[in-house]
């Protein structure tokens, strides 16, 4: 991990969030892998836990965000790129300062829009920290969303305060909700202009059930089967 930070062995990857009704790409989600040569290729899930334990998450993210913002990524031209920021990054004041500096120098030259995501549980319990990033991104016309939504809180005051553009929830979670629970959630999201996006959608059967609930934006293996 330290070698990857020093030598930027990270490779950026992007996968789409699609609207199955309009057949349009809503945005592309950024993740990254380590590609340090033979026998040194690792997926995000392989190294994020050790990086957290070593206190290297913020440094790792700054390297990848610098790559994203400074270097040209043609597949992003004219689109929106959403970054899933880790809880550790959000809590690091030095990371906030570095990201602010990156935006100040390079945001105007970007050929795409940016958005960032944090987990639902973190946003709920760290409103002030998340709000500082929301304000920073808003300053440059960038967006914000919540992922891993669980509906843990019956009180959605934090959604009103943070005003995300979207919330992402696991397909299984959404399909498991009662009609009353979904109606209550959709009343809140509709009133705040928040889009519900289903993640880990695997097949057409799940997509059909989601669309019956008026949820059209999806991530997961199903996106390979949607003809653009």
């Amino acid at each position: 991990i330290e070698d990857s930070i020093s030598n930027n062995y990270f490779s950026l990857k992007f996968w789409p969030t699609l609207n199955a009704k309009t057949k349009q790409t809503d945005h592309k989600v950024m993740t990254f892998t380590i590609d340090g040569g033979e026998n040194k290729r690792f997926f995000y899930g392989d190294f994020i836990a050790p990086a957290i334990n070593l206190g290297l998450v913020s440094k790792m993210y700054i390297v990848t965000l610098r790559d994203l913002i400074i270097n040209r990524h043609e597949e992003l031209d004219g689109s929106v790129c959403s970054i899933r920021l880790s809880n550790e990054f959000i809590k690091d004041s030095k990371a906030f300062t570095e990201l602010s500096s990156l935006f100040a120098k390079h945001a105007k030259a970007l050929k795409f829009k940016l958005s960032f995501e944090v987990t639902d549980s973190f946003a709920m319990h760290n409103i002030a920290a998340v709000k500082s990033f929301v304000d920073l991104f808003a300053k440059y016309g960038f967006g914000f969303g919540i992922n891993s939504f669980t509906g843990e809180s019956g009180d959605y005051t934090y959604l009103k305060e943070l005003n995300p553009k979207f919330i992402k929830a696991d397909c299984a979670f959404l399909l498991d909700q009662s009609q009353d629970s979904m109606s209550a959630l959709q009343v809140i999201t509709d009133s705040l202009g928040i889009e519900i996006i289903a993640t880990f959608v695997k097949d057409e059967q799940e997509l059909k059930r989601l669309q019956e609930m008026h949820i059209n934006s999806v991530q997961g293996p199903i996106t390979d089967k949607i003809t653009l």
Side-chain angles (χ1 to χ4, degrees):
I1 293 171
E2 289 175 334
D3 283 348
S4 298
I5 291 170
S6 298
N7 301 295
N8 190 11
Y9 289 147
F10 300 108
S11 294
L12 306 190
K13 312 291 182 185
F14 309 98
W15 71 83
T17 296
L18 297 180
N19 186 304
K21 188 175 182 179
T22 64
K23 304 294 193 292
Q24 298 292 313
T25 300
D26 282 345
H27 58 258
K28 297 176 181 178
V29 182
M30 185 194 95
T31 187
F32 49 93
T33 60
I34 288 176
D35 189 2
E38 191 70 24
N39 298 321
K40 290 185 179 180
R41 296 189 176 119
F42 303 96
F43 292 107
Y44 184 89
D46 297 328
F47 57 77
I48 187 61
I52 290 171
N53 291 335
L54 293 166
L56 294 174
V57 172
S58 291
K59 289 183 178 180
M60 189 170 66
Y61 265 83
I62 285 297
V63 170
T64 55
L65 290 173
R66 188 178 297 278
D67 182 350
L68 174 69
I69 292 169
I70 294 177
N71 298 322
R72 178 82 180 275
H73 300 277
E74 292 185 4
E75 64 265 52
L76 296 179
D77 285 0
S79 66
V80 177
C81 177
S82 193
I83 311 153
R84 297 182 302 176
L85 292 182
S86 73
N87 301 348
E88 290 72 24
F89 187 90
I90 296 284
K91 290 187 285 190
D92 187 339
S93 59
K94 290 182 180 178
F96 181 88
T97 301
E98 291 221 37
L99 190 57
S100 299
S101 177
L102 266 178
F103 283 169
K105 293 176 183 175
H106 303 286
K108 289 182 179 178
L110 284 179
K111 296 184 179 296
F112 58 91
K113 291 281 189 180
L114 272 175
S115 179
F116 82 103
E117 305 171 19
V118 297
T119 62
D120 182 45
S121 58
F122 184 81
M124 194 188 315
H125 299 296
N126 298 273
I127 293 176
V130 174
K131 186 68 164 60
S132 64
F133 277 84
V134 170
D135 292 342
L136 173 63
F137 273 67
K139 179 180 177 181
Y140 296 96
F142 301 153
F144 161 66
I146 285 175
N147 63 43
S148 305
F149 181 80
T150 62
E152 173 189 336
S153 170
D155 177 9
Y156 295 124
T157 305
Y158 71 103
L159 291 181
K160 295 178 182 178
E161 191 162 347
L162 295 175
N163 194 29
K165 181 180 179 183
F166 58 80
I167 59 174
K168 295 181 177 180
D170 190 302
C171 172
F173 166 81
L174 292 170
L175 295 179
D176 194 44
Q177 297 305 296
S178 67
Q179 186 173 345
D180 287 346
S181 295
M182 275 308 301
S183 294
L185 175 60
Q186 287 176 320
V187 165
I188 292 291
T189 53
D190 287 349
S191 67
L192 296 174
I194 300 171
E195 182 178 26
I196 299 175
I197 298 173
T199 58
F200 303 106
V201 184
K202 297 184 292 295
D203 53 43
E204 272 112 7
Q205 183 179 357
E206 289 182 339
L207 177 59
K208 183 179 178 182
R209 291 179 62 194
L210 289 166
Q211 291 188 300
E212 288 170 355
M213 299 160 65
H214 308 291
I215 297 171
N216 292 296
S217 289
V218 293
Q219 282 180 199
I222 188 64
T223 59
D224 292 333
K225 303 173 185 177
I226 297 174
T227 304
L228 297 180

